[in-house]
Amino acid sequence: MPRDVSKRKLRAGIVGGGQGSFIGAVHHVAVELDGQAEVIAGAMSTDLQRARASAEAWYLKRSYDSYEEMAEAESKLEEGIDFVMVTTPNHVHFPVAKTFLEHGIHVVSDKPMTFDLEQAQQLVSLVESKNLVYALTHNYTGYPAVRHARALVRQGEIGEIRKVLVEYIQDWLMTAEEKTGNKQAGWRTDPSRSGIAGCVGDIGTHGENLLEFITGLKIKSLCADLTTFVEGRALDDDANMLLHLANGGKGILTCSQIAAGEENALSIRIYGTKAGLEWHQMEPNTLLFKPHGQPQQILRTGLGYMSDDAKAATRTPAGHPEGFYEAFANIYKMAIADIRRVESGQKPEGGYPTVYDGLRGMQFVYAAVESSQKGVSWVDMP
Amino acid sequence: MPRDVSKRKLRAGIVGGGQGSFIGAVHHVAVELDGQAEVIAGAMSTDLQRARASAEAWYLKRSYDSYEEMAEAESKLEEGIDFVMVTTPNHVHFPVAKTFLEHGIHVVSDKPMTFDLEQAQQLVSLVESKNLVYALTHNYTGYPAVRHARALVRQGEIGEIRKVLVEYIQDWLMTAEEKTGNKQAGWRTDPSRSGIAGCVGDIGTHGENLLEFITGLKIKSLCADLTTFVEGRALDDDANMLLHLANGGKGILTCSQIAAGEENALSIRIYGTKAGLEWHQMEPNTLLFKPHGQPQQILRTGLGYMSDDAKAATRTPAGHPEGFYEAFANIYKMAIADIRRVESGQKPEGGYPTVYDGLRGMQFVYAAVESSQKGVSWVDMP
Amino acid sequence: MPRDVSKRKLRAGIVGGGQGSFIGAVHHVAVELDGQAEVIAGAMSTDLQRARASAEAWYLKRSYDSYEEMAEAESKLEEGIDFVMVTTPNHVHFPVAKTFLEHGIHVVSDKPMTFDLEQAQQLVSLVESKNLVYALTHNYTGYPAVRHARALVRQGEIGEIRKVLVEYIQDWLMTAEEKTGNKQAGWRTDPSRSGIAGCVGDIGTHGENLLEFITGLKIKSLCADLTTFVEGRALDDDANMLLHLANGGKGILTCSQIAAGEENALSIRIYGTKAGLEWHQMEPNTLLFKPHGQPQQILRTGLGYMSDDAKAATRTPAGHPEGFYEAFANIYKMAIADIRRVESGQKPEGGYPTVYDGLRGMQFVYAAVESSQKGVSWVDMP
Amino acid sequence: MPRDVSKRKLRAGIVGGGQGSFIGAVHHVAVELDGQAEVIAGAMSTDLQRARASAEAWYLKRSYDSYEEMAEAESKLEEGIDFVMVTTPNHVHFPVAKTFLEHGIHVVSDKPMTFDLEQAQQLVSLVESKNLVYALTHNYTGYPAVRHARALVRQGEIGEIRKVLVEYIQDWLMTAEEKTGNKQAGWRTDPSRSGIAGCVGDIGTHGENLLEFITGLKIKSLCADLTTFVEGRALDDDANMLLHLANGGKGILTCSQIAAGEENALSIRIYGTKAGLEWHQMEPNTLLFKPHGQPQQILRTGLGYMSDDAKAATRTPAGHPEGFYEAFANIYKMAIADIRRVESGQKPEGGYPTVYDGLRGMQFVYAAVESSQKGVSWVDMP
């Protein structure tokens, strides 16, 4: 029976995100940023003391010792949570999402969607069988300039796409950070918690998602050169890939966590028969539009000429920079709007990454790893 | 009797910020961003229908028809608001702040502090007589790179300051926007609501505040050329000023709302005997440090070499851009921390702009207007 | 009797530019860059040994011990020089130019045109009485993007100009460089060789010239705050000025040689009723065009949409950066073309800075110094 | 018998470069820029009328109808040319160079060195058998910032190199420009004049040369995806490549002439165990140095902290931008210095690209084409 969600903030629960976590705190800010939801319950750590301290620091109403317990309890409460936020290491994404979906609770999950490809396929089936929202925080698609880029492609302003250059380079794992007690580094470089890929799963998938989101084109095949530069590390920390796109376009995707001096340098450049596009995550409110034979244009979020989709993702007037949190919050805003729709018997409208994007991400990771293992040769994507 | 605020979010009320407002929505996001406070009550518009609709849209618990009523009621409620946010047009800042302070309620107010200089002086006296927090949202001082700039100056890295260039230029009033029904433009160009200055009061004061905040130097005297370029407008929409600083340094401050193509271009450049500094609000996470004879350094928020003060104002790792809201939220974060301190009997620690900054801003406005009226001649600041 | 200059390079002589000089070497590269002239004679230093060594290093055909001797001798030679290049310290500009003009030899001179205002007025009269080319190397007007900016203003693309911001800031005199034996610093800080102004004459005049060149507007009055920051220095090393333009527009001009970390940061920003413009000398091939309400455009030299005037000043396809020498060479290219015209009985066509720009520059210097001496008050320009 | 070249400019002849040529005019400016050589003879076009008109426009002393005739005649003249500049389409590079070398005349040639790999090998042998200078204008290595990058790598500042990203993207062939009568486009897309590759030979080789020049590392193997996007074109106009470097490092090289909106965007980024480097040809005077864990540094040409090699390639103080011509001229400056040395019986000192770089370039082109033809699989470089 749908709840009445029309006159109140939604109630959210969080799994993971205990003190010391990076992404949990991001989800916390993002989910509440637009005043449409409040985090009230959590199973924030498997370290129970940390779980409670974390819940208290966030003034949560209810803290649980396990996500199973939380799903069970919340699903029965009159004022139980409307949706859960999954912010754990990768290997727990699937069981948590599955558990809450099975308890009739909507899910917003961090990426990658699951630990392995099989789980991803199972989750697709599960979500398809439920009338519940499942949103995946490929947060970079929440930037208004990214959404405007997609709009320009859709409107034909770029023409037929010929070449795409995607980069996501960082340096934070350029030394054996995982041996210093850094929790983030610990699980991300551990195959038993991260999955079959390191850098490719962690950030390469963002690149893949961004490319397919903006261009509307599928990667048809790829040739991926994964490398582990830091001695003793089990997973890749760098990758260079050649891409073939479904329309005959060509591309490059490079991702790295050992690129000295780089912070979080996600960027995409797209070249079509009519124009080029360029976007950099670290200057997110600017989109370069490069029509052939005419001056390059600096498109800026918050200005009147932007597309409706970009405007819907923008809160401030031009020149008042929005950033990472606001883009992240845009995913939540759309997911929350859909939860309200579903709970009031309407059809969801989407706009955020879904279980299909999550599956696509896992397929990408598997193709990349397979390509690299086969001597860096070409592998088709599904 | 102090309340126990240790185990809960603070409760905030808002005056102003009704639908269509810009800055009210900013305060809403900012005050809640760190999960330390929640807006629960409001007197959001003098248009009562708008006031209620606005309160409902934000899921407030209580909506009032006037701020007087709100102060009266909330001060008596067991679960009344801990502090009020003043987000009205300028001419109402003072009476609202005064009313809530007199009801024993902490105040966070938008700038300029008051409508005129006399009110500013009264408010200083009032605040000095109360054991209450008064914070003024000169929000640009909330940026971590700005705080790092101040730290570098304090540490002597810049040497003796010789030259300062401050700019704050926009274009949103380059046509008679106030005649199109734009609410923002309407009151900002109206002397009866905005005060004796237009552009100088609205954004010039941010420049003045930024300069004095970072350099720690007072403006000693100024020579200000205020212009009204748009026909029929009563207040200045552009100003150029020469500055003399207390230490013998020289400066320029230019502000404009008619600078075609500019968004919200606040910047500061500082030149000392040892090094230069450069910061641009529209790329807020970067601070250029220019030591004499050595390579310029690109200082970036989120990295380990930043000062403690910058780190305390930073939430994300480097390369995950924080922006306008996060800087604004930093002012709230510090004010809320002080409210918690005061309510639990501790001494406030500050860090945010106060009633003295507000007075300084009004003095600056008055000096600039006087200088311009006297044929653009030199006027001393108090 | 005009010479036949149609089938050969022009022959140039140089006064000044001996080894250790900066600007002499620049003139050498610039004058020959387009293969239209060759430097064959010189009086390169008053230090006769240096003069000869310098001439030999440049493979000059003839070296003279004094410019008087050179003017006398060359004017009588069948294959004597067609024009002279004046690259001495300021106090010698006038006598050299006068001497060669009186010997019927065209002149290209470095700026400022003369040592003082009286000389400037005399030189105007002298040039007006001769059918000879006099070109002044206000070299920054030689940049194609600057010429395009002027074209945009002339075409009305900017609308009525309201605000102009001009900067020229450096740091090379931020310490007492003149006491280290640096020749450049020596004469530039010496009133007996440099004139009544230091920084304002050396680089402030470039700013003034650029402003008037692009906007086509005269500075009507100014209020200038000149400072000498480095102890023991006799001339200004920094200045901030408010400007009133002939059309009612307002402006700022700041110049400095003590701005720590700045190299040669000449820039101009212009704001009109229709659009803005922005140009930075250190990225000279880019001009930002900011039409109100539309995306900013990055105009780039070498592309098809540029104006004819910009194209005539561009040698390479877009993206092959031209720089300081090429802009300088553009002044020579136009002056040389006029010398060819005059020598073959045609009318000169101009395009380069002339004696009138030189006079304007001296008037600007005098007004600025007067303003500053009168307590930084307003002074009218002629 | 060596000539006395000590007290005069060198005499240069040019083959190619007739009116309408791009690169011929560049060589003309570059060779004379430092006042060390003068072009006096030419065989500038196979179109004899154009050849003579071109020679006249440049005021050459002698114009020839063919390069064979020129080599024969000049080698016998007392005041014959000291060296020849080869600026023809690719298929003529080898015969011209061979002819002049066999006549005892030094050669400076545009790249690629020859039409095919066999010619390249022959030329290596020929040059090795002569005591003559052969310089190849891989002009981008002439930039001071590039030379500083190499110095930093050599000094160990970057550590062991792990990842290199090289790009060279343009858009001037994104439509069938060769069908419009554009001479440049005509021969560059014609296999009978350009060789087996289009874009890869024209600009990809610059990328390869830059990479090996700066890093000192050889490309060990590559996997290259060459594409012809413009219909009806016989040669590649785009390529993406994965690279394996000799030390175990990985890389990407992408080049394109169909990248809408790009001008001449050559760039390189290098990531080592200690620091990163980034350089963009379109802002050539800046080199970003990114030491791990410390602020990025903006290294600028013309400043005191640059390496000797960078200083030797810099003519102006910082902030007076040097560009494409000046970098090109640096190759000539070094080659001319060596010609002077050889002619006076000294040993050449190099510093410019030689016949071995030319051979390397041809090997790179052949490997890339082979890889692409074999299904974009890995091919070893010699």
Side-chain angles (χ1 to χ4, degrees):
Chain A
M1 192 197 64
R3 292 162 167 180
D4 184 358
V5 295
S6 64
K7 300 207 169 156
R8 61 170 176 86
K9 292 186 184 179
L10 296 193
R11 296 182 291 265
I14 188 164
V15 180
Q19 287 166 339
S21 150
F22 157 53
I23 208 66
V26 169
H27 279 261
H28 188 204
V29 171
V31 71
E32 296 189 346
L33 193 134
D34 288 301
Q36 292 297 326
E38 189 177 16
V39 186
I40 59 153
M44 294 185 68
S45 178
T46 49
D47 171 338
L48 298 191
Q49 201 164 354
R50 184 196 301 261
R52 279 164 217 159
S54 303
E56 196 168 321
W58 287 8
Y59 311 111
L60 301 193
K61 290 185 179 154
R62 299 183 286 276
S63 175
Y64 295 93
D65 290 353
S66 76
Y67 70 84
E68 294 92 339
E69 189 191 327
M70 175 169 155
E72 190 68 23
E74 292 290 324
S75 65
K76 291 177 181 155
L77 285 174
E78 182 141 359
E79 301 219 329
I81 60 172
D82 298 300
F83 65 97
V84 73
M85 303 148 67
V86 188
T87 71
T88 63
N90 300 349
H91 65 302
V92 195
H93 288 178
F94 175 67
V96 174
K98 185 166 179 283
T99 301
F100 281 83
L101 288 169
E102 287 173 350
H103 281 81
I105 293 171
H106 306 279
V107 173
V108 180
S109 173
D110 212 82
K111 41 60 53 191
M113 185 162 77
T114 54
F115 181 71
D116 62 27
L117 184 53
E118 202 198 324
Q119 288 178 351
Q121 286 155 339
Q122 282 183 45
L123 193 58
V124 169
S125 301
L126 181 60
V127 169
E128 286 178 343
S129 72
K130 303 274 183 187
N131 185 27
L132 290 169
V133 168
Y134 179 92
L136 191 71
T137 53
H138 266 306
N139 52 296
Y140 297 110
T141 62
Y143 275 114
V146 166
R147 302 186 85 84
H148 190 66
R150 184 177 66 162
L152 289 174
V153 171
R154 285 181 173 176
Q155 291 159 23
E157 298 285 341
I158 310 307
E160 187 70 19
I161 290 171
R162 289 169 162 178
K163 186 178 183 85
V164 184
L165 302 173
V166 183
E167 304 183 355
Y168 199 155
I169 51 182
Q170 308 176 324
D171 76 353
W172 72 289
L173 293 175
M174 70 177 280
T175 55
E177 194 69 17
E178 62 270 35
K179 295 183 180 161
T180 67
N182 179 325
K183 276 190 60 167
Q184 309 296 329
W187 71 257
R188 277 190 175 80
T189 57
D190 173 4
S192 73
R193 287 178 286 170
S194 188
I196 63 166
C199 174
V200 168
D202 190 27
I203 60 176
T205 50
H206 277 303
E208 168 270 326
N209 182 254
L210 191 67
L211 185 159
E212 297 198 344
F213 178 81
I214 295 178
T215 67
L217 296 171
K218 296 285 178 204
I219 297 170
K220 208 185 74 181
S221 57
L222 56 77
C223 177
D225 192 11
L226 277 60
T227 311
T228 304
F229 279 107
V230 174
E231 229 171 314
R233 187 169 284 164
L235 295 172
D236 58 285
D237 49 27
D238 182 89
N240 297 325
M241 306 188 198
L242 303 178
L243 308 177
H244 285 177
L245 306 180
N247 74 335
K250 302 293 181 78
I252 283 175
L253 189 152
T254 183
C255 56
S256 185
Q257 295 178 318
I258 57 88
E262 300 296 348
E263 298 173 2
N264 195 43
L266 171 64
S267 71
I268 187 164
R269 286 170 290 170
I270 298 171
Y271 301 102
T273 49
K274 291 169 66 177
L277 280 177
E278 178 169 352
W279 180 75
H280 294 263
Q281 192 270 150
M282 285 168 59
E283 268 190 61
N285 299 294
T286 296
L287 177 67
L288 282 179
F289 175 57
K290 312 179 182 183
H292 182 219
Q294 292 168 52
Q296 288 194 11
Q297 295 178 12
I298 305 175
L299 306 181
R300 294 274 306 165
T301 58
L303 289 174
Y305 52 73
M306 295 297 276
S307 59
D308 290 345
D309 198 11
K311 282 177 180 163
T314 305
R315 291 163 190 81
T316 54
H320 300 73
E322 297 193 53
F324 183 77
Y325 284 123
E326 289 75 27
F328 217 110
N330 284 334
I331 305 296
Y332 268 108
K333 187 161 67 170
M334 292 182 284
I336 287 170
D338 258 6
I339 293 170
R340 289 189 188 280
R341 287 187 195 100
V342 169
E343 289 294 332
S344 55
Q346 294 173 269
K347 288 188 65 167
E349 294 185 4
Y352 46 85
T354 67
V355 75
Y356 301 106
D357 298 278
L359 174 61
R360 192 78 192 145
M362 291 308 291
Q363 290 167 337
F364 169 76
V365 168
Y366 274 68
V369 170
E370 182 189 344
S371 167
S372 200
Q373 286 173 348
K374 288 186 175 166
V376 190
S377 62
W378 287 87
V379 168
D380 286 340
M381 288 271 291
Chain B
M1 188 197 69
R3 294 164 166 177
D4 183 358
V5 295
S6 64
K7 300 208 170 158
R8 62 171 175 85
K9 292 186 185 181
L10 296 193
R11 294 182 291 266
I14 187 164
V15 180
Q19 288 167 338
S21 149
F22 157 54
I23 207 66
V26 169
H27 279 262
H28 188 202
V29 170
V31 71
E32 296 189 346
L33 195 133
D34 289 300
Q36 292 296 327
E38 188 176 16
V39 185
I40 61 151
M44 293 185 67
S45 178
T46 49
D47 171 339
L48 299 190
Q49 202 164 353
R50 187 197 298 260
R52 282 165 214 158
S54 302
E56 198 169 317
W58 285 9
Y59 311 113
L60 301 192
K61 289 184 179 153
R62 299 183 287 277
S63 175
Y64 295 93
D65 289 353
S66 75
Y67 69 84
E68 295 92 339
E69 189 189 327
M70 177 170 153
E72 190 68 24
E74 291 290 326
S75 64
K76 292 177 180 155
L77 284 174
E78 181 140 3
E79 301 220 329
I81 59 173
D82 299 300
F83 65 97
V84 72
M85 303 147 68
V86 188
T87 72
T88 64
N90 300 349
H91 64 303
V92 195
H93 288 178
F94 175 67
V96 174
K98 185 167 179 286
T99 301
F100 281 85
L101 288 169
E102 288 173 349
H103 281 82
I105 293 172
H106 305 279
V107 174
V108 180
S109 173
D110 212 80
K111 40 61 56 192
M113 186 162 77
T114 55
F115 180 70
D116 61 28
L117 185 54
E118 202 199 321
Q119 289 179 353
Q121 286 154 338
Q122 284 184 44
L123 194 57
V124 169
S125 301
L126 182 60
V127 169
E128 287 178 340
S129 72
K130 305 272 181 188
N131 185 27
L132 291 169
V133 169
Y134 178 92
L136 191 71
T137 54
H138 267 305
N139 52 295
Y140 297 110
T141 61
Y143 277 113
V146 166
R147 303 185 85 84
H148 189 66
R150 185 178 63 162
L152 289 174
V153 171
R154 287 181 172 178
Q155 291 159 21
E157 298 285 342
I158 311 307
E160 186 69 20
I161 290 172
R162 290 170 162 179
K163 187 180 182 82
V164 183
L165 302 172
V166 182
E167 304 184 356
Y168 198 156
I169 53 182
Q170 308 177 324
D171 76 353
W172 73 290
L173 292 176
M174 69 178 280
T175 56
E177 194 68 17
E178 61 270 35
K179 294 183 179 159
T180 66
N182 178 324
K183 276 189 60 167
Q184 310 296 329
W187 72 257
R188 277 191 175 78
T189 58
D190 174 3
S192 73
R193 287 178 286 171
S194 190
I196 64 166
C199 174
V200 167
D202 192 26
I203 60 176
T205 49
H206 278 303
E208 168 269 326
N209 182 255
L210 192 66
L211 185 159
E212 297 197 343
F213 179 80
I214 296 179
T215 66
L217 296 171
K218 296 287 178 201
I219 298 171
K220 204 184 76 179
S221 57
L222 55 76
C223 177
D225 192 10
L226 277 60
T227 311
T228 304
F229 279 108
V230 174
E231 231 171 311
R233 187 169 285 165
L235 295 172
D236 58 286
D237 47 27
D238 182 88
N240 296 325
M241 306 188 199
L242 303 178
L243 308 177
H244 285 178
L245 306 181
N247 74 334
K250 302 293 182 79
I252 283 175
L253 189 152
T254 183
C255 56
S256 186
Q257 296 179 317
I258 58 88
E262 300 298 348
E263 299 174 1
N264 196 44
L266 171 64
S267 71
I268 188 164
R269 287 170 289 170
I270 297 170
Y271 300 102
T273 48
K274 291 170 66 178
L277 279 177
E278 178 169 352
W279 179 76
H280 294 263
Q281 190 268 151
M282 286 169 58
E283 268 190 64
N285 300 296
T286 296
L287 176 67
L288 282 179
F289 175 57
K290 312 178 182 185
H292 182 220
Q294 292 170 49
Q296 288 193 11
Q297 295 179 11
I298 305 174
L299 306 182
R300 295 274 306 164
T301 57
L303 290 174
Y305 52 72
M306 296 296 276
S307 58
D308 289 345
D309 197 12
K311 282 178 179 163
T314 306
R315 293 162 188 82
T316 55
H320 299 74
E322 297 193 55
F324 184 77
Y325 284 124
E326 289 75 28
F328 218 110
N330 285 334
I331 305 296
Y332 269 109
K333 189 162 65 172
M334 291 182 285
I336 287 170
D338 257 5
I339 294 171
R340 290 189 187 279
R341 286 187 194 99
V342 169
E343 290 294 332
S344 54
Q346 296 174 265
K347 288 187 65 167
E349 294 186 3
Y352 45 86
T354 67
V355 75
Y356 301 106
D357 298 278
L359 174 61
R360 190 81 192 142
M362 291 310 290
Q363 290 167 336
F364 169 76
V365 167
Y366 273 67
V369 169
E370 182 189 344
S371 165
S372 200
Q373 286 173 348
K374 289 187 175 166
V376 190
S377 62
W378 287 87
V379 169
D380 286 340
M381 288 271 292
Chain C
M1 193 196 63
R3 293 165 167 175
D4 183 359
V5 295
S6 64
K7 300 207 169 156
R8 62 170 175 85
K9 293 185 183 179
L10 295 192
R11 295 181 291 265
I14 187 163
V15 181
Q19 288 167 338
S21 149
F22 158 53
I23 207 65
V26 169
H27 279 262
H28 189 203
V29 170
V31 71
E32 296 189 346
L33 193 135
D34 288 301
Q36 292 297 325
E38 189 176 16
V39 185
I40 60 151
M44 295 184 68
S45 179
T46 49
D47 171 338
L48 299 191
Q49 202 163 353
R50 185 197 300 261
R52 280 165 216 158
S54 302
E56 197 169 320
W58 286 8
Y59 311 112
L60 301 193
K61 288 184 180 154
R62 298 183 287 277
S63 175
Y64 296 93
D65 289 353
S66 74
Y67 69 85
E68 295 92 339
E69 189 190 329
M70 176 170 153
E72 190 69 22
E74 291 290 324
S75 65
K76 290 177 182 157
L77 285 175
E78 182 141 0
E79 301 220 329
I81 59 171
D82 298 300
F83 65 98
V84 73
M85 303 148 67
V86 189
T87 71
T88 63
N90 300 349
H91 65 304
V92 195
H93 287 177
F94 175 66
V96 175
K98 185 165 179 284
T99 301
F100 281 84
L101 289 169
E102 288 174 348
H103 281 82
I105 293 171
H106 306 278
V107 174
V108 180
S109 173
D110 213 79
K111 42 58 58 190
M113 186 163 76
T114 54
F115 181 70
D116 62 28
L117 185 53
E118 202 198 323
Q119 288 178 353
Q121 286 154 338
Q122 282 184 45
L123 194 58
V124 169
S125 301
L126 181 61
V127 169
E128 286 178 342
S129 72
K130 303 274 181 187
N131 185 28
L132 291 169
V133 169
Y134 179 93
L136 191 71
T137 53
H138 267 307
N139 52 296
Y140 297 110
T141 62
Y143 276 113
V146 166
R147 302 187 85 84
H148 190 66
R150 184 177 65 161
L152 289 173
V153 170
R154 286 181 173 177
Q155 291 158 23
E157 299 285 342
I158 310 307
E160 186 70 20
I161 290 171
R162 289 169 162 177
K163 188 180 182 83
V164 183
L165 302 172
V166 182
E167 304 183 355
Y168 198 155
I169 51 182
Q170 308 176 324
D171 75 354
W172 73 289
L173 292 176
M174 69 178 280
T175 56
E177 193 68 16
E178 62 270 35
K179 295 183 180 160
T180 68
N182 178 325
K183 275 190 61 166
Q184 310 296 328
W187 72 257
R188 278 190 174 79
T189 57
D190 174 3
S192 73
R193 286 177 287 170
S194 189
I196 63 167
C199 174
V200 168
D202 191 27
I203 60 176
T205 51
H206 278 302
E208 168 270 327
N209 182 254
L210 191 66
L211 185 159
E212 297 198 344
F213 179 82
I214 295 178
T215 66
L217 296 171
K218 296 287 178 202
I219 298 170
K220 206 184 75 180
S221 57
L222 55 76
C223 177
D225 192 9
L226 277 59
T227 311
T228 304
F229 279 108
V230 173
E231 230 171 312
R233 188 169 284 164
L235 295 172
D236 58 285
D237 48 28
D238 183 89
N240 296 325
M241 307 188 198
L242 303 179
L243 309 177
H244 285 179
L245 306 180
N247 74 335
K250 302 292 181 79
I252 283 175
L253 190 153
T254 184
C255 55
S256 186
Q257 295 179 318
I258 58 87
E262 299 297 348
E263 298 173 4
N264 195 44
L266 170 64
S267 71
I268 187 165
R269 286 169 290 169
I270 298 170
Y271 300 102
T273 49
K274 292 169 67 177
L277 279 178
E278 179 170 351
W279 179 76
H280 295 263
Q281 191 269 150
M282 285 169 57
E283 268 191 62
N285 300 294
T286 296
L287 177 68
L288 281 179
F289 175 58
K290 312 179 181 182
H292 181 219
Q294 293 169 49
Q296 288 194 10
Q297 295 178 11
I298 305 174
L299 306 182
R300 294 274 306 165
T301 58
L303 289 173
Y305 52 72
M306 296 296 276
S307 59
D308 290 345
D309 197 13
K311 283 178 180 164
T314 306
R315 293 163 188 81
T316 54
H320 300 73
E322 297 193 54
F324 184 76
Y325 284 122
E326 289 74 27
F328 217 111
N330 285 333
I331 305 297
Y332 269 109
K333 188 161 67 170
M334 291 182 284
I336 287 169
D338 257 6
I339 294 171
R340 289 188 187 280
R341 285 187 195 100
V342 169
E343 289 294 331
S344 55
Q346 293 174 270
K347 288 187 65 168
E349 294 185 3
Y352 46 86
T354 68
V355 73
Y356 301 106
D357 298 279
L359 175 60
R360 193 78 192 144
M362 292 308 292
Q363 290 167 337
F364 169 76
V365 167
Y366 274 67
V369 170
E370 182 189 344
S371 165
S372 201
Q373 287 173 346
K374 289 185 176 167
V376 190
S377 62
W378 287 86
V379 168
D380 285 341
M381 288 272 291
Chain D
M1 192 194 66
R3 293 164 167 176
D4 183 358
V5 294
S6 62
K7 300 206 170 160
R8 62 170 176 86
K9 292 186 184 180
L10 295 193
R11 294 181 291 265
I14 188 164
V15 181
Q19 288 168 339
S21 149
F22 157 54
I23 207 66
V26 169
H27 279 262
H28 189 202
V29 170
V31 72
E32 296 188 346
L33 194 133
D34 288 301
Q36 293 296 326
E38 187 176 17
V39 185
I40 60 152
M44 294 185 67
S45 177
T46 49
D47 172 338
L48 299 191
Q49 203 164 352
R50 184 197 300 259
R52 281 164 215 161
S54 303
E56 198 168 320
W58 286 9
Y59 311 112
L60 301 192
K61 290 185 180 155
R62 298 182 286 277
S63 175
Y64 295 93
D65 290 353
S66 76
Y67 69 83
E68 295 91 340
E69 190 190 328
M70 176 170 154
E72 190 66 24
E74 292 290 326
S75 66
K76 291 178 182 158
L77 285 174
E78 182 140 0
E79 302 220 329
I81 60 173
D82 298 301
F83 66 97
V84 73
M85 304 148 68
V86 188
T87 72
T88 64
N90 300 350
H91 64 304
V92 195
H93 287 177
F94 175 66
V96 175
K98 185 168 181 285
T99 300
F100 281 84
L101 288 168
E102 288 174 348
H103 282 81
I105 293 171
H106 306 279
V107 173
V108 180
S109 174
D110 212 81
K111 40 59 55 192
M113 186 162 76
T114 55
F115 182 71
D116 62 26
L117 186 53
E118 203 199 321
Q119 289 178 353
Q121 287 155 337
Q122 283 184 43
L123 194 57
V124 169
S125 300
L126 181 59
V127 169
E128 286 179 341
S129 72
K130 304 273 181 186
N131 185 27
L132 291 169
V133 168
Y134 178 93
L136 191 71
T137 54
H138 267 306
N139 52 294
Y140 297 110
T141 60
Y143 276 114
V146 166
R147 302 186 84 85
H148 189 66
R150 184 178 65 163
L152 289 174
V153 171
R154 286 182 173 177
Q155 290 159 21
E157 298 285 341
I158 310 308
E160 186 70 20
I161 290 172
R162 289 169 161 178
K163 187 179 183 83
V164 183
L165 302 173
V166 183
E167 304 184 356
Y168 198 154
I169 53 182
Q170 308 176 324
D171 76 353
W172 73 289
L173 292 176
M174 70 176 279
T175 57
E177 194 68 18
E178 62 270 34
K179 294 182 179 159
T180 67
N182 178 323
K183 276 189 60 168
Q184 310 297 328
W187 73 257
R188 276 190 174 80
T189 59
D190 174 3
S192 73
R193 287 179 285 170
S194 188
I196 64 167
C199 174
V200 167
D202 191 27
I203 59 176
T205 50
H206 277 303
E208 167 270 326
N209 182 255
L210 192 66
L211 185 159
E212 297 198 344
F213 178 81
I214 295 178
T215 66
L217 295 171
K218 296 287 177 201
I219 298 171
K220 205 184 76 180
S221 57
L222 55 76
C223 177
D225 191 10
L226 277 59
T227 310
T228 305
F229 279 107
V230 174
E231 231 172 310
R233 187 169 285 165
L235 294 172
D236 58 287
D237 48 27
D238 182 89
N240 297 325
M241 307 188 199
L242 303 178
L243 308 177
H244 285 178
L245 305 181
N247 74 334
K250 302 293 181 80
I252 283 176
L253 189 152
T254 183
C255 56
S256 185
Q257 296 179 318
I258 58 89
E262 299 296 351
E263 299 174 1
N264 195 44
L266 171 64
S267 72
I268 188 164
R269 287 170 288 169
I270 298 171
Y271 300 102
T273 48
K274 291 169 66 178
L277 279 177
E278 177 169 353
W279 179 76
H280 294 264
Q281 191 270 152
M282 286 169 58
E283 268 191 62
N285 300 296
T286 297
L287 176 68
L288 282 179
F289 175 58
K290 312 179 181 183
H292 182 220
Q294 292 168 49
Q296 288 193 11
Q297 296 179 11
I298 304 175
L299 305 183
R300 295 273 306 165
T301 57
L303 290 174
Y305 52 71
M306 296 295 277
S307 59
D308 290 345
D309 198 12
K311 283 178 179 164
T314 305
R315 292 163 189 81
T316 55
H320 300 73
E322 296 193 56
F324 184 76
Y325 284 123
E326 289 74 28
F328 218 110
N330 285 334
I331 305 296
Y332 269 108
K333 189 161 67 172
M334 292 182 283
I336 286 170
D338 258 4
I339 294 171
R340 289 189 188 279
R341 285 189 194 99
V342 169
E343 289 294 331
S344 55
Q346 294 175 268
K347 289 188 67 169
E349 293 186 3
Y352 46 86
T354 67
V355 74
Y356 300 107
D357 297 279
L359 174 61
R360 192 79 192 146
M362 292 308 292
Q363 290 166 337
F364 169 75
V365 167
Y366 273 69
V369 169
E370 182 189 344
S371 165
S372 201
Q373 285 173 349
K374 288 186 175 166
V376 191
S377 62
W378 287 86
V379 168
D380 286 340
M381 288 273 290

